[in-house]
Amino acid sequence: MAAKPGIPKGTRDFSPVEMAKRNYIFNTIRDVYHLYGFQQIETPSMEMLSTLMGKYGEEGDKLLFKIQNSGDYFSGITDEELLSRNAAKLASKFCEKGLRYDLTVPFARYVVMHRDEITFPFKRYQIQPVWRADRPQKGRYREFYQCDADVVGSDSLLNEVELMQIVDTVFTRFGIRVCIKINNRKILTGIAEIIGEADKIVDITVAIDKLDKIGLENVNKELAEKGISDEAIAKLQPIILLSGTNAEKLATLKTVLSGSETGLKGVEESEFILNTLQTMGLKNEIELDLTLARGLNYYTGAIFEVKALDVQIGSITGGGRYDNLTGVFGMAGVSGVGISFGADRIFDVLNQLELYPKEAVNGTQLLFINFGEKEAAFSMGILAMVRAAGIRAEIFPDAAKMKKQMSYANVKNIPFVAIVGENEMNEGKAMLKNMESGEQQMVTAEELIGVLTK
């Protein structure tokens, strides 16, 4: 007996109903991106490892899926190297390509490669899958979709403001209550400076970014393990646990960071974004959160993260400003800022809260019952008119028993069934049955279309 097939851990199949739900997510996000003037691009699933490595920090590099070279990948490798069993070193010899980890680095590569064709500022969006060799768990997958929007070629903080408006609009359309968290890497740099650990900024941000997941005690333990002094850790406590309104937090930070020019610049940028958004009438809460660090090394300014308020799950959107990302590809001086919607987590949230609109999930609206060759031929004429009117309709392909065909309609949640027998053909009509109410009425093709387009 053949072994039952399976799929890799951290990946999923999606049924027709699930795909209808996912397309509702993608289409909603896509429509909002278009409202704000973003244009769509796509990049390959795989990139050169030289493009990907070193862009996500040490932890991110470990999560890259590497693609084994085709052909004789042992050529050029010595017996000594093989026997060393050094996985990282051997992977660098065996693999020159990898699956993309996110959409931002490929986008930066795209901008550099196509700089002569692009008009700046360039506002692009991209909806494609990414891959991470992570440990699968609830809300965390090895293959998942991101829905990114980025603006490059502009330093204006109005871009940050508009991205937060996009986030607010998308989640308002979904009906998901969220908290939009905002911070600034310059503020974090300033904090590292005033506690006397400026050279440990990466270690500090990676650790405090885990506060929600592992708690303050474990964050402090990780900071100590990274060589940060007890005195510096003690100074850090009241800062990362700062509470109050956004205005109160900003006022405190102006005092605390008075000795750091970089830190004060971060406070100024955050204040502009928050004050401008306050006049925009956002539907969702926005909070200055100093524990938000977003572990990725390429962020240099404002950083964002979105948490669902009614479901226990990780962040469902994130992003930030990256002033120097294209510089690593030889194109210095191009500033960018972007956000990424986690479509798979949004999918889970909408499922848990049962927020999908009925029309987003329903597929076929009308099924024609098949009684035989003549009846099917007559039905096909009406079917063509119905489809031309934009109604999703199908005919059962076989003249099977009525019970089987009605069962098919029920399983697929088809709301209407058209029955065409000899009497109906003689009158040039069809019997239209509402599957929910059970009500039936004899209708012409035009009347049928009128009922279904109401």
Side-chain angles (χ1 to χ4, degrees), residues 91-102:
S92 69
K93 301 265 186 174
F94 287 165
C95 312
E96 61 181 21
K97 296 177 286 295
L99 295 177
R100 58 170 173 250
Y101 178 94
D102 72 353

Side-chain angles (χ1 to χ4, degrees), residues 77-85:
I77 297 176
T78 65
D79 290 346
E80 185 182 352
E81 286 172 325
L82 281 172
L83 291 170
S84 73
R85 296 181 180 274

Side-chain angles (χ1 to χ4, degrees), residues 248-417:
E248 288 167 346
K249 290 176 185 175
L250 288 167
T252 302
L253 284 171
K254 285 177 185 176
T255 304
V256 171
L257 298 176
S258 59
S260 169
E261 185 181 343
T262 301
L264 289 176
K265 180 66 175 170
V267 173
E268 180 189 326
E269 290 178 3
S270 300
E271 192 168 36
F272 175 85
I273 295 166
L274 290 166
N275 288 348
T276 307
L277 286 170
Q278 204 167 8
T279 67
M280 297 288 126
L282 296 189
K283 302 289 192 300
N284 291 283
E285 176 190 356
I286 185 159
E287 175 195 346
L288 178 64
D289 182 356
L290 296 185
T291 68
L292 173 60
R294 298 212 42 90
L296 301 180
N297 284 344
Y298 55 64
Y299 290 124
T300 55
I303 45 180
F304 321 107
E305 204 158 89
V306 178
K307 295 289 179 73
L309 295 178
D310 300 315
V311 172
Q312 287 286 3
I313 198 167
S315 75
I316 52 179
T317 298
R321 166 73 64 172
Y322 45 90
D323 284 342
N324 53 11
L325 190 62
T326 56
V328 299
F329 298 122
M331 186 178 176
V334 179
S335 183
V337 60
I339 54 171
S340 178
F341 288 95
D344 295 83
R345 288 187 177 181
I346 293 170
F347 175 85
D348 291 343
V349 171
L350 288 170
N351 270 335
Q352 287 185 56
L353 299 178
E354 297 182 349
L355 289 174
Y356 287 101
K358 192 175 179 182
E359 61 272 16
V361 181
N362 283 346
T364 301
Q365 296 167 273
L366 174 66
L367 172 71
F368 281 84
I369 298 296
N370 187 339
F371 286 121
E373 196 173 319
K374 284 192 300 182
E375 292 85 352
F378 182 89
S379 296
M380 290 292 283
I382 304 176
L383 188 58
M385 295 172 65
V386 165
R387 286 173 174 157
I391 295 165
R392 301 183 301 278
E394 58 181 292
I395 184 169
F396 199 84
D398 306 302
K401 289 181 179 178
M402 180 82 155
K403 184 180 178 182
K404 181 177 180 179
Q405 298 189 51
M406 296 299 274
S407 174
Y408 176 85
N410 281 323
V411 169
K412 289 190 71 176
N413 291 313
I414 300 173
F416 289 94
V417 164

Side-chain angles (χ1 to χ4, degrees), residues 165-332:
Q165 287 180 282
I166 286 173
V167 168
D168 184 65
T169 304
V170 165
F171 286 111
T172 299
R173 290 191 178 191
F174 285 144
I176 299 173
R177 295 192 318 119
V178 299
C179 177
I180 303 168
K181 294 177 178 286
I182 180 173
N183 197 7
N184 196 297
R185 288 298 285 257
K186 294 185 180 78
I187 291 176
L188 294 169
T189 299
I191 291 169
E193 287 176 5
I194 63 155
I195 66 171
E197 298 282 3
D199 60 328
K200 297 283 181 65
I201 177 62
V202 173
D203 291 333
I204 292 169
T205 55
V206 166
I208 68 173
D209 194 43
K210 299 174 183 173
L211 186 67
D212 281 351
K213 302 182 189 80
I214 65 175
L216 184 60
E217 187 180 333
N218 287 319
V219 167
N220 290 338
K221 184 181 175 185
E222 185 170 321
L223 289 168
E225 288 170 354
K226 293 292 185 181
I228 294 161
S229 70
D230 291 343
E231 183 186 357
I233 293 171
K235 286 181 181 177
L236 193 59
Q237 304 309 293
I239 299 171
I240 62 174
L241 297 175
L242 191 63
S243 60
T245 65
N246 291 334
E248 288 167 346
K249 290 176 185 175
L250 288 167
T252 302
L253 284 171
K254 285 177 185 176
T255 304
V256 171
L257 298 176
S258 59
S260 169
E261 185 181 343
T262 301
L264 289 176
K265 180 66 175 170
V267 173
E268 180 189 326
E269 290 178 3
S270 300
E271 192 168 36
F272 175 85
I273 295 166
L274 290 166
N275 288 348
T276 307
L277 286 170
Q278 204 167 8
T279 67
M280 297 288 126
L282 296 189
K283 302 289 192 300
N284 291 283
E285 176 190 356
I286 185 159
E287 175 195 346
L288 178 64
D289 182 356
L290 296 185
T291 68
L292 173 60
R294 298 212 42 90
L296 301 180
N297 284 344
Y298 55 64
Y299 290 124
T300 55
I303 45 180
F304 321 107
E305 204 158 89
V306 178
K307 295 289 179 73
L309 295 178
D310 300 315
V311 172
Q312 287 286 3
I313 198 167
S315 75
I316 52 179
T317 298
R321 166 73 64 172
Y322 45 90
D323 284 342
N324 53 11
L325 190 62
T326 56
V328 299
F329 298 122
M331 186 178 176

